[in-house]
Amino acid sequence: MSAHVIADDAEALAVAASLAEEFRAGASARDSERRLPRAELDKLSASGLLAVTVPADHGGADVSALTLAEVFRLLGTADGSLAQIPQSHFVYANVIRRQGTEGQRKFFFAELLSGRRLGNAQSEAGGKHVQDIRTRLESRPDGSYVLTGVKHYSTGALFADWIPVLARADDDRLHVAYVPSDAPGLTVLDDWDGLGQRTTASGTVRLDGVPVPGDRVLPHHLTFEGPQLHGATAQLLHSAIDAGIAAGALAEAAEFVRTKSRPWFESGVETAAEDPLLIQRFGELALEVRASEALLREAARSVDAARADLTDDTAAGASLAVAAAKVQAARAAVEVSSALFEVSGTRSALHSLNLHRHWRDARTHTLHDPTRWKIQHLGRFALNGTRPPRHGLL
C-alpha cells in the first residue's frame, strides 16, 4: 500500500475539505443501504490524512490538535459514520507516540505513512463498567503473548490493517497489543445494528488464543501515571464529530427550507425562507453550532498548549476545556438534528429522504460517554479547584 504524504497543517485542511465534499454526496445512500464505506476509507488512506499526526522526525506532518479537530469536524459535516471510523486510529497512534519504543515507533509510523489503518478492540460488554477489561494477555516463556477475549463496539476493526487490543497482562495492568487483521484466532464480526452510525461496522472482535510477538505490545497503564493528554485528545475528536454533525444538519435543513418547504399560510410571505419565525429559529440553531465550534477550537488550542508544556495544571486545563467542548457539541448535534424536522415541515419526515440520519448519528454517537460526568468535573474544578481524574474518557 502507498499513500501521499501530507506536508503541513494547511495541506491537511485542504485535503479534508475536498474529501468531505466528495463523501457528502453518497452519505445518505450509504446509510440507507448500509453500504460500508470501503472505497471512501481507501481514499482517506491514500490521501495521507491518516498519517498527519506522525512526528516530523519520522517523516510526518505532526499537525496540531487544532488542525486534527477541524479535519474531523469537516468529515463529520459530511458523514457522521465515516468520521467516526478513524477516531480510534488516531487515539492508538498517539499511544505508540507516547509509550512505544524507538523501534516500535519506527515500524508503526512507517505503516501509517504507507496508508495502513489502525482499528479498535477496546470496549467489552457485560462487565461492571466501561473500564472492567477482562481480555487477557498471557505471557509465554519466549517473550511473546497470547490474547483471549471478546470485544464489542469495535469501530474500525473491520476495515483495519492493525487492530489495537486493550487487555490485561499477567500483572493485571492494561496493555495494548497491536494485532494484524489476518492473525490466526482473530475474528471480526459485522454484527453492529445500531440505529445510527450504521456504516461504522462497530461490531464484535473475538480473540481465541491469538499469538502476539513481544514487540507488538505497549504498556498502556504507564499513560496514566503522570500528566497526560490521551483522554483529552480522544474526547476532542469525539467533540469534533458532534460539532460536524450539528453543522451538517443545519446546512441540510437550510437547503431544504430554501428549496422545498412551503411557508405557513399565516406568515404572509411568499417563501418559507422569508418566514420571520423560521429565521428566528435558524438563528437560535446557528448560535448552538457556533458555540460548539468556538469551544472546540478553544479546547484544541488548550491541548496544543499542554502538549508544548505538559504539567498537571496544563493537562487538567486541557481536559476541562475538552469536556466543555464535548458537552456543547453533543447538545448541538442532538438539538439541531432534531430541529431539522421542526423547521422543515412534514415532508422532511419522509423515510425516503433519510434526513433522520443526522439525528440517528447524533443520538448514537453522543451515547459514547455521558456528558453529565463532564459537567461534574467542570463543577468540581470551578467550585473546589479539583483537577479532573486521569483516565481515557476525559
Side-chain angles (χ1 to χ4, degrees):
M1 183 181 295
S2 62
H4 172 69
V5 177
I6 288 176
D8 53 29
D9 293 64
E11 185 182 5
L13 292 173
V15 171
S18 176
L19 285 177
E21 283 304 306
E22 182 178 347
F23 295 160
R24 181 175 289 108
S28 179
R30 285 192 297 274
D31 174 87
S32 62
E33 300 167 13
R34 199 178 178 271
R35 188 171 71 243
L36 299 182
R38 296 183 185 276
E40 288 76 15
L41 285 170
D42 286 344
K43 289 181 179 179
L44 195 62
S45 291
S47 75
L49 270 183
L50 297 184
V52 294
T53 60
V54 170
D57 58 359
H58 285 270
D62 200 8
V63 302
S64 67
L66 182 62
T67 292
L68 188 62
E70 180 63 5
V71 166
F72 271 79
R73 191 195 70 83
L74 287 167
L75 294 175
T77 66
D79 186 334
S81 284
L82 188 53
Q84 175 66 24
I85 293 170
Q87 191 268 349
S88 293
H89 171 95
F90 284 98
V91 169
Y92 285 102
N94 195 40
V95 172
I96 295 167
R97 180 176 188 144
R98 184 171 172 86
Q99 299 302 339
T101 65
E102 180 56 31
Q104 288 170 330
R105 289 194 293 267
K106 182 178 180 181
F107 174 80
F108 279 110
F109 289 150
E111 289 285 281
L112 300 188
L113 287 168
S114 70
R116 290 184 172 85
R117 296 190 288 266
L118 304 179
N120 157 39
Q122 175 174 291
S123 295
E124 298 179 11
K128 291 183 179 180
H129 49 70
V130 71
Q131 293 191 332
D132 182 18
I133 303 299
R134 291 159 294 164
T135 296
R136 304 305 302 187
L137 185 67
E138 300 177 26
S139 60
R140 286 177 164 179
D142 63 1
S144 66
Y145 296 87
V146 175
L147 266 174
T148 303
V150 180
K151 297 291 187 176
H152 301 270
Y153 314 117
S154 302
T155 304
L158 191 68
F159 313 109
D161 299 288
W162 292 90
I163 302 176
V165 180
L166 193 61
R168 295 194 182 277
D170 298 337
D171 59 5
D172 212 37
R173 292 178 173 180
L174 285 176
H175 291 67
V176 179
Y178 289 74
V179 181
S181 57
D182 60 354
L186 172 68
T187 306
V188 181
L189 302 176
D190 180 22
D191 56 359
W192 169 245
D193 65 348
L195 67 88
Q197 294 195 306
R198 297 184 66 224
T199 61
T200 58
S202 300
T204 302
V205 171
R206 297 189 180 278
L207 305 143
D208 299 312
V210 178
V212 184
D215 62 356
R216 297 293 180 262
V217 177
L218 279 70
H220 191 39
H221 60 93
L222 296 179
T223 299
F224 307 103
E225 292 187 1
Q228 50 84 30
L229 297 172
H230 177 82
T233 300
Q235 291 296 305
L236 181 70
L237 302 185
H238 283 306
S239 304
I241 294 166
D242 287 339
I245 292 172
L250 183 63
E252 186 141 15
E255 175 66 16
F256 193 94
V257 169
R258 285 193 300 264
T259 61
K260 297 182 177 66
S261 295
R262 297 183 298 178
W264 184 244
F265 72 96
E266 294 178 283
S267 67
V269 297
E270 292 298 317
T271 68
E274 297 172 285
D275 184 333
L277 297 183
L278 281 181
I279 290 171
Q280 178 71 18
R281 188 62 175 130
F282 268 95
E284 293 168 350
L285 298 174
L287 277 177
E288 293 296 317
V289 172
R290 283 174 175 262
S292 70
E293 292 172 352
L295 285 173
L296 180 67
R297 289 190 294 270
E298 179 187 341
R301 292 188 182 104
S302 294
V303 171
D304 282 328
R307 179 177 164 187
D309 179 24
L310 188 60
T311 67
D312 286 333
D313 286 335
T314 61
S319 286
L320 291 169
V322 172
K326 183 66 169 68
V327 171
Q328 174 58 29
R331 286 175 175 173
V334 173
E335 180 180 357
V336 176
S337 61
S338 176
L340 182 155
F341 304 100
E342 170 196 337
V343 297
S344 300
T346 305
R347 185 181 175 189
S348 64
L350 292 177
H351 184 71
S352 59
L353 295 177
N354 198 27
L355 293 177
H356 47 68
R357 72 184 184 280
H358 300 289
W359 182 86
R360 290 188 289 100
D361 285 347
R363 185 65 281 176
T364 301
H365 184 250
T366 55
L367 297 175
H368 186 274
D369 52 279
T371 56
R372 59 185 177 271
W373 274 99
K374 299 184 189 305
I375 295 173
Q376 274 284 310
H377 294 305
L378 287 165
R380 291 173 183 181
F381 184 81
L383 184 60
N384 299 314
T386 304
R387 292 189 186 118
R390 292 170 177 163
H391 58 61
L393 297 175
L394 192 69

